[in-house]
Amino acid sequence: MTSVPINQNYRISEQCQQASSGLFPLNSGNLARLLWVADNDLTHNIQTWEQRLAPLHVTRVTELDQALELAASKAIDCVWIQGSSSFAVAETMAAIQRVNSSVPAVVCSPDLTAAGAVRLAKLGAYQCFSGSDDPEEIVSALISAIDESSQRSRAIGQAHAEEPWRRFLIGDSRPMQQIASLVRLIGSRRSTVLITGETGTGKEMAARALHMASPRAASQMVAVNCSALPEHLLEAELFGHVKGAFTGAINARVGRFEQAHKSTLFLDEIGDMPLDLQAKLLRVLQEKEIQRLGSSETIKVDVRVIAASNVDLEERIRQGRFREDLYYRLNVVPMQMPPLRERTSDIPALVHFFVDKVCKSEGIPVKRISQETMVRLCRCPWPGNVRQLENTVEMAVALSGDRELLLAADFRLTNESPVVPLKATAGPTVEFNGSLNLEQALSTLEFQLLEQALRKTGGNKTAAADLLGLKRTTLIMKLRNYRFELSRDAHPK
């Protein structure tokens, strides 16, 4: 077997090389880097595996904290997970994927079943093995995974170089790859796009990526926050006005639509636009012409409109606060921005990006961040999403003073998600209380499994469904049957 060349080589510290720390580097050199995560019970035959894995630079860990630290550092090319149970393997893999979704994973468990293999494949496993499989096949799969990952990384790097708009979409997680694919498909079109998502998820950055991917990229994108101005001023802001159109209109003014002629107009927080103005916006979108306030003259405009909202517009329609016809006119191409908790593997890239940005704006040397701190950042829920992360990084840079290394204390981390242990956790239990009613026991067990899955995924139903091997719709139906609330501890009745 031949080694897979890489651009960089990982070197762990002297302290980490001690057996007491749980890290055992088996070899080194300019080789592809393998992270071997294994239970203590599966750490025998080290020398035999050292010979088989000679083409690779192997770092073996037995603790999940250490595995997450290495995965978050992006200092590995592949991860090999060995566990005494397929449940423990799946939990470990899901945790690593949350901090680094781009690293390929080969998994091995002695009790692996067909259903377990399907579940692991859904989580993103490159290949699955049982304890009886040929070790040479495992090594071959590891090298193949590294080779494919290397080719994919080169392809992504080349695509980023050829696509200037990609710099607005930081991260290579699956959700961000889907957003990037959508930008490629519709960037060159004139279709109106409605971007939805929680506050702080980067909706304006997605709009800028769409603009940069279009033939209108040579012109500057024009942005308007529809919630920042009262109705009469917002109308003048959008459509312009003539001299004397209202009190204070001492000069004529060109509106944002005219400024965006042959370019892109981004309407942020469109859900807060007043109803009267919504009707006028609908006419502009349909007729592609505007009238300045105080004028009867119509002006043709060639504008691509991208709208964004962090509120549920369909609910606003039911409340009578948003026009249904305008919603359908804006929602030609929908784009849903994922919250940060669904793309935690992008956090390291975002943190480094914001650290560079803040340090350059302050005119100071770029600071570094410890891997332990990075892992802790990946565990935080970030309800304010990317915007909250950026503000936290700016605070950390300020609080670090002249120190080069950013520590956890600089970020004031107080609300982290619990770490999933590498060992198989105890499954849900059923208390019979003197009764052996099978239907009631199965119902209670199912409830406990649903609750455990949702807690492990921070309430993310899609991730919980994958963890349980269910369709998302099936999971939602079961939750409705139990009138499930994550915060309560009561069993179903």
Side-chain angles (χ1 to χ4, degrees):
M1 290 177 287
T2 58
S3 63
V4 181
I6 56 173
N7 295 327
Q8 299 178 1
N9 188 34
Y10 178 62
R11 294 287 189 273
I12 59 176
S13 66
E14 292 292 329
Q15 293 177 342
C16 289
Q17 293 185 23
Q18 298 175 1
S20 60
S21 69
L23 295 175
F24 301 86
L26 303 182
N27 51 50
S28 60
N30 190 29
L31 305 175
R33 303 156 299 184
L34 173 69
L35 172 61
W36 179 11
V37 187
D39 286 352
N40 282 316
D41 298 337
L42 302 175
T43 56
H44 53 281
N45 297 330
I46 296 291
Q47 293 181 347
T48 302
W49 275 110
E50 180 179 1
Q51 296 173 359
R52 291 192 175 108
L53 299 172
L56 306 173
H57 176 200
V58 182
T59 303
R60 183 171 64 86
V61 304
T62 58
E63 300 295 332
L64 183 60
D65 272 346
Q66 299 162 338
L68 292 178
E69 183 175 341
L70 288 166
S73 71
K74 307 287 185 178
I76 57 173
D77 300 300
C78 182
V79 59
W80 176 28
I81 304 174
Q82 275 189 307
S84 56
S85 75
S86 58
F87 181 82
V89 166
E91 293 295 288
T92 302
M93 180 177 168
I96 292 175
Q97 288 282 303
R98 282 194 289 271
V99 300
N100 187 350
S101 64
S102 62
V103 63
V106 174
V107 297
C108 182
S109 176
D111 68 344
L112 186 66
T113 63
V118 170
R119 177 188 176 195
L120 288 165
K122 288 182 178 180
L123 288 172
Y126 178 82
Q127 201 162 339
C128 304
F129 294 93
S130 65
S132 60
D133 285 305
D134 184 1
E136 291 301 324
E137 291 185 10
I138 296 176
V139 175
S140 178
L142 291 170
I143 294 178
S144 296
I146 292 171
D147 188 40
E148 287 191 20
S149 176
S150 176
Q151 294 178 16
R152 184 170 61 250
S153 297
R154 287 195 297 269
I156 290 174
Q158 182 178 359
H160 286 189
E162 296 173 353
E163 299 171 331
W165 55 265
R166 195 62 174 82
R167 71 178 187 271
F168 293 105
L169 304 175
I170 306 298
D172 289 313
S173 63
R174 287 190 182 91
M176 291 308 291
Q177 289 178 18
Q178 293 170 356
I179 294 295
S181 297
L182 189 57
V183 171
R184 290 189 190 98
L185 286 172
I186 64 175
S188 60
R189 308 295 181 183
R190 299 180 59 179
S191 304
T192 304
V193 181
L194 177 60
I195 307 175
T196 56
E198 298 176 11
T199 182
T201 51
K203 294 185 287 296
E204 183 170 349
M205 292 299 101
R208 294 192 180 278
L210 283 166
H211 173 68
M212 289 297 296
S214 75
R216 304 167 184 260
S219 302
Q220 187 174 0
M221 185 184 85
V222 179
V224 179
N225 189 325
C226 298
S227 64
L229 296 171
E231 180 176 358
H232 68 284
L233 292 181
L234 179 59
E235 183 175 0
E237 183 79 7
L238 291 174
F239 307 130
H241 60 80
V242 298
K243 182 178 179 180
F246 52 86
T247 303
I250 57 176
N251 293 305
R253 182 184 176 187
V254 173
R256 296 294 189 178
F257 267 95
E258 288 184 77
Q259 291 179 9
H261 183 59
K262 299 291 185 180
S263 186
T264 303
L265 178 63
F266 176 57
L267 300 177
D268 198 10
E269 305 301 345
I270 192 71
D272 294 329
M273 180 176 284
L275 278 170
D276 290 345
L277 193 52
Q278 291 177 29
K280 295 179 181 179
L281 174 61
L282 178 62
R283 177 173 176 79
V284 172
L285 295 176
Q286 292 174 340
E287 304 298 332
K288 295 181 173 54
E289 61 183 27
I290 64 166
Q291 284 184 324
R292 293 182 184 175
L293 268 68
S295 173
S296 59
E297 178 187 1
T298 59
I299 303 173
K300 288 288 184 180
V301 289
D302 176 12
V303 176
R304 183 190 191 175
V305 173
I306 300 176
S309 176
N310 64 351
V311 298
D312 187 344
L313 293 181
E314 292 183 349
E315 179 62 27
R316 289 284 173 98
I317 292 171
R318 287 189 287 270
Q319 296 171 355
R321 300 170 59 188
F322 200 83
R323 292 180 62 102
E324 186 173 13
D325 47 4
L326 177 59
Y327 172 74
Y328 290 123
R329 186 63 185 81
L330 292 172
N331 197 35
V332 176
V333 179
M335 178 183 286
Q336 176 76 33
M337 292 301 294
L340 191 53
R341 62 180 174 275
E342 294 180 5
R343 44 178 293 226
T344 52
S345 62
D346 291 334
I347 288 178
L350 286 164
V351 170
H352 289 305
F353 175 80
F354 291 139
V355 169
D356 290 347
K357 177 182 175 182
V358 172
C359 291
K360 288 177 181 178
S361 66
E362 294 290 342
I364 59 177
V366 176
K367 295 179 180 288
R368 298 182 296 109
I369 181 169
S370 69
Q371 293 304 324
E372 177 190 359
T373 302
M374 187 67 78
V375 171
R376 294 185 63 181
L377 289 171
C378 290
R379 294 176 188 160
C380 292
W382 301 112
N385 296 297
V386 179
R387 183 180 295 121
Q388 181 188 6
L389 178 62
E390 180 177 9
N391 293 337
T392 303
V393 168
E394 185 174 357
M395 176 190 68
V397 171
L399 294 179
S400 64
D402 295 331
R403 183 170 14 93
E404 180 187 2
L405 185 66
L406 297 176
L407 304 176
D410 299 323
F411 292 87
R412 303 288 176 88
L413 300 178
T414 57
N415 187 13
E416 300 177 41
S417 300
V419 178
V420 183
L422 178 60
K423 290 287 187 180
T425 56
T429 59
V430 178
E431 297 180 4
F432 292 101
N433 296 326
S435 172
L436 293 177
N437 185 287
L438 178 61
E439 184 176 352
Q440 182 178 358
L442 290 175
S443 177
T444 302
L445 181 62
E446 183 178 57
F447 177 87
Q448 292 174 349
L449 283 168
L450 293 172
E451 182 181 43
Q452 187 177 99
L454 283 170
R455 290 191 186 281
K456 287 183 181 297
T457 59
N460 186 318
K461 294 184 178 64
T462 301
D466 289 341
L467 193 62
L468 293 168
L470 299 174
K471 292 183 178 179
R472 187 176 186 275
T473 52
T474 303
L475 175 69
I476 292 174
M477 180 184 68
K478 290 180 179 295
L479 296 179
R480 288 174 179 169
N481 289 341
Y482 289 125
R483 296 183 177 87
F484 189 91
E485 294 179 5
L486 186 58
S487 60
R488 78 180 191 182
D489 297 322
H491 294 305
K493 296 180 180 180

